[in-house]
Amino acid sequence: MTTVLITGASSGLGAAFARGFAAKGCDLVLVARDTGRLQATATALTAEFGIGCEVLTADLLDPVQCGRVANRLADPARPVGILVNNAGFGLPAPFPYNPVEDEERMLDLLVKVPLKLTHAIVPGLRERRRGAVLNVSSVAGLLPTGTYGAAKAWLTAFSESLRVDLAPYGVRVLAVVPGFTRTEFQERAGMDLSALPASYWLEADAVVARALKDLGLHRPLSITGWRYRAYAAAVRHLPRTLVATRMARTRRPPAA
Ligand code: NAP
């Protein structure tokens, strides 16, 4: 049975991916910083689905701990067939108001960590001629929306090109492109989205169900909900400067 390694599996979309793959009978390796939450998820999924589930506690922003996760992905004795690069966070304020250290941490987690982990798993996938990499990007990456959006644009473009590079080996690459999803993301980032209409919100399980379906159909991108699919199609035809100006209105400087 395929083993799936999921980063950021302690909450939100990562926990939903864990449940989605467990329901398919996959064994799991769950990665995040909070051992207690990972262990609770592992215990529940093992009891419900009879799968094998490892907990690998790691702060992916620590090079040594990230290296341990990369080593697990590259271990030929315990092959991992699917990597889900999901761990991430956002910042509350626009770029000019954030400490540069916070910007660097966000860029590292959203870009450098998926790059490193993907590089670790790819040789084994190519050799075994099967498997997949799922990169959890964002609709924010379709637009000029600050440094978070810029990082997610990198992840989507990376996924689209890697998909072509790995297709001859039978390895799939999917960019998962969620819109606003009910997780801990907004609260952790200190964002107040109480004014966002209810119809914009997605459930994490729906994003995962769509992603697993799109993976099965060999699609390059997975976008949940007709509203976000229409949005993704529309923004391709709008002038970037107009979009950048409109989107800047959604990023508020912090209160003085
Ligand atoms: P979430 O509930 O806050 O989950 C974030 C996960 O990342 C947690 O499991 C957290 O676990 C882990 N994480 C954070 N920093 C980490 C670090 N340094 N090392 C290891 N793990 C770390 O948010 P979510 O919405 O599920 O976010 C998952 C992904 O979806 C992110 O990449 C996010 O950018 C993307 N996304 C979210 C939305 C949305 O509206 N929610 C929309 C588009 C895209 P620990 O705290 O235990 O480490």
Side-chain angles (χ1 to χ4, degrees), residues 7-14 31-34 58-61 86-89 109-110 136-139 148 152 178-186 188 201:
T7 69
S10 61
S11 73
L13 283 160
V31 179
R33 294 166 300 184
D34 189 328
D59 180 346
L60 292 166
L61 288 172
N86 166 77
F89 67 88
L109 191 60
L110 300 186
V136 181
S137 186
S138 171
V139 291
Y148 175 81
K152 292 299 192 182
F180 292 109
T181 309
R182 288 187 206 281
T183 67
E184 297 174 15
F185 180 88
Q186 288 78 17
R188 288 186 197 232
W201 285 103

